[in-house]
Amino acid sequence: MQDYLDDLVLALSTEKNRGKVADYIPQLAHVDPNQFGIAVCTPEGQMYSAGQADTLFSIQSISKVFTLTIALGKLGDGIWTHVGREPSGDPFNSIVQLEHESGKPRNPFINAGAIAVVDAIMMGHEPKETLAEILNFVRFISNDNSICFDHIVAASEMAHRDRNASLAHFMKAFGRLRHDVDKVLGTYFHQCSIAMSCEQLARAGLFLVSDGVDKTTGIRVVSAQRARRINSLMMMCGHYDGSGEFAYRVGLPGKSGVGGGILAIAPGKGSIAVWSPGLDKLGNSYLGTRALERFVQHTGWSVFGH
Ligand SMILES: NC(=O)CC[C@H](N)C(=O)O
């Protein structure tokens, strides 16, 4: 595995087409697009990595997997009154479906859905308390207390929040958000700003690899049924309107973020995190997707086999 990852990094290093770094969040526009990292963690916790696998980056929408997991823990199936579980076929920041569907977002991984999920988690608590809960959970599943928010990235998003604020106000107009819009958005932007490396992210995904159990500690994080359902949602909705393309190329539950990271889960086999900041037109890591495509071709780890 280690030799393969080293070869993969070498092969991709000559790739000219790397997509475009997200610049609608000014703080992310400064990131050097010529970076690439990959980490693979086996169910027993053996870590293989190559490239810039210990460089911290903004996990952005990958955090939506973690907040969904927290929301399911708090509300159980009640979360599905706040958000749906169908692919949207629309961009991550789209507003059009909201009007047709009375302000109920299609799924927890588009922006509107993640904003509804964080509103549901807040349950009358202040943003600070909710953020502590989110960070504690991420640290717990990563087994790493050094993980933090990047307050500069969060502030950058807050200052340029018009689009997400529109989504939030629109939902609020339908009576779908219970808390003050700016408090919900502040919480959401901090959740997205969490900085992690590929190695930390691959470690964080382990509970979804082994039916809800982190085998390295023996701790059950969620039930087997819940792990299966989260993986299903990642497969169907984790790449927005590029979810079909990702399933076609890679065939694994995956969640991308505009920071250029992707977390992919190979049930029973391992958790894989890749990072390359350049994005394709739909906002998913260009090189990251191609790296995962090669990886599953080599390992046969796709849920659909070779
Ligand atoms: N796709 C993403 O990663 C988007 C997350 C980003 N924080 C936003 O709200 O726009």
Side-chain angles (χ1 to χ4, degrees):
M1 177 68 80
Q2 187 58 52
D3 289 346
Y4 175 70
L5 295 184
D6 290 334
D7 290 349
L8 182 62
V9 166
L10 197 64
L12 292 174
S13 64
T14 55
E15 183 68 54
K16 296 243 168 1
N17 194 349
R18 287 175 173 258
K20 210 174 149 285
V21 172
D23 54 9
Y24 75 98
I25 304 172
Q27 203 55 31
L28 294 184
H30 304 146
V31 178
D32 174 8
N34 294 310
Q35 303 183 84
F36 178 83
I38 183 164
V40 178
C41 196
T42 68
E44 291 71 35
Q46 178 70 47
M47 185 73 73
Y48 302 94
S49 66
Q52 280 131 313
D54 59 3
T55 303
L56 300 181
F57 62 90
S58 197
I59 68 167
Q60 292 295 320
S61 285
I62 301 171
S63 65
K64 296 170 184 175
V65 175
F66 308 140
T67 46
L68 171 66
T69 306
I70 295 170
L72 284 165
K74 288 189 142 187
L75 287 85
D77 280 343
I79 191 64
W80 305 121
T81 61
H82 299 257
V83 68
R85 43 177 196 259
E86 290 293 341
S88 70
D90 278 321
F92 64 85
N93 55 7
S94 174
I95 199 166
V96 289
Q97 269 165 1
L98 281 180
E99 178 157 27
H100 293 299
E101 297 172 7
S102 357
K104 183 175 178 181
R106 270 284 170 100
N107 68 65
F109 296 151
I110 52 174
N111 287 8
I115 291 167
V117 166
V118 84
D119 178 73
I121 292 178
M122 285 172 79
M123 288 177 160
H125 291 282
E126 286 301 314
K128 253 211 286 246
E129 296 164 315
T130 306
L131 284 172
E133 185 175 8
I134 294 170
L135 192 59
N136 280 339
F137 180 70
V138 173
R139 287 176 171 178
F140 164 63
I141 56 173
S142 313
N143 199 25
D144 190 333
N145 281 332
S146 73
I147 296 168
C148 281
F149 299 111
D150 183 331
H151 296 285
I152 298 174
V153 170
S156 182
E157 268 214 272
M158 193 66 181
H160 296 83
R161 66 183 176 285
D162 292 342
R163 181 92 181 208
N164 283 312
S166 306
L167 299 175
H169 280 293
F170 205 69
M171 288 191 282
K172 181 117 182 168
F174 279 102
R176 297 254 172 212
L177 295 189
R178 277 174 295 184
H179 303 90
D180 173 73
V181 164
D182 273 349
K183 284 190 177 179
V184 178
L185 288 176
T187 313
Y188 167 71
F189 293 141
H190 274 87
Q191 142 200 339
C192 289
S193 82
I194 293 175
M196 289 172 80
S197 66
C198 288
E199 289 183 355
Q200 289 170 326
L201 207 48
R203 177 68 183 74
L206 277 194
F207 76 100
L208 293 172
V209 171
S210 303
D211 299 323
V213 177
D214 177 345
K215 281 194 177 171
T216 68
T217 58
I219 295 174
R220 174 168 292 288
V221 180
V222 295
S223 68
Q225 182 193 55
R226 186 159 289 166
R228 170 169 62 76
R229 289 174 166 175
I230 295 169
N231 279 327
S232 303
L233 284 159
M234 288 171 75
M235 175 75 99
M236 298 304 292
C237 315
H239 283 67
Y240 323 110
D241 42 346
S243 298
E245 182 71 10
F246 186 80
Y248 177 82
R249 285 180 183 269
V250 180
L252 287 176
K255 183 73 208 81
S256 71
V258 289
I262 301 175
L263 173 63
I265 304 298
K269 300 195 169 73
S271 169
I272 311 129
V274 288
W275 171 58
S276 176
L279 308 177
D280 63 19
K281 286 196 178 69
L282 305 177
N284 301 311
S285 176
Y286 180 86
L287 215 53
T289 306
R290 273 134 197 98
L292 285 168
E293 186 173 19
R294 286 190 190 213
F295 179 85
V296 295
Q297 259 158 26
H298 175 80
T299 56
W301 279 17
S302 164
V303 295
F304 307 112
H306 275 282

